[in-house]
Amino acid sequence: MTTITVRRFRDFGAVIKAARESRGLRQDELAGELDITRQYLQDLENGRPNLYITRLLRAMNSLGITISVTYTPGRARNPDPAARDDADSADTNSTDD
């Protein structure tokens, strides 16, 4: 398992690229699975900032919030399209102290 702390948009791209490559996927294959363009995936992997994510990370950094991403290189992906829909609509759980 690999864990990377995400501080900048570029860090997300490095994780996406490393996970894709460890699974032996080409950019066009993953883009097709995600229903995005290959160019958009390439922009993500190269760390080209997205305004929304950039602002989100800036806010989180100023509040001292750290994101760690863990993935298993080469792990089989879930071919079930319902799993992708669930991930897209997942609720964020939070608690107030």
Side-chain angles (χ1 to χ4, degrees):
M1 227 182 313
T2 302
T3 301
I4 297 174
T5 299
V6 176
R7 292 187 178 91
R8 300 177 314 256
F9 190 82
R10 183 179 346 205
D11 299 333
F12 281 114
V15 171
I16 292 168
K17 183 175 183 176
R20 176 184 59 77
E21 288 178 342
S22 76
R23 289 164 178 78
L25 290 171
R26 295 185 323 260
Q27 285 180 333
D28 61 321
E29 291 173 321
L30 181 57
E33 287 182 23
L34 300 175
D35 198 28
I36 60 175
T37 66
R38 186 185 137 304
Q39 182 62 51
Y40 185 77
L41 178 60
Q42 187 176 39
D43 287 348
L44 289 175
E45 289 186 354
N46 289 329
R48 288 194 181 87
N50 168 304
L51 186 59
Y52 175 77
I53 298 295
T54 300
R55 287 180 177 169
L56 176 63
L57 289 172
R58 187 179 303 149
M60 293 175 72
N61 285 336
S62 74
L63 294 169
I65 299 169
T66 304
I67 300 172
S68 293
V69 177
T70 303
Y71 71 96
T72 303
R75 184 175 173 197
R77 46 189 201 274
N78 187 347
D80 180 7
R84 183 173 57 209
D85 293 341
D86 290 344
D88 290 343
S89 63
D91 291 340
T92 301
N93 295 321
S94 64
T95 57
D96 294 329
D97 292 329

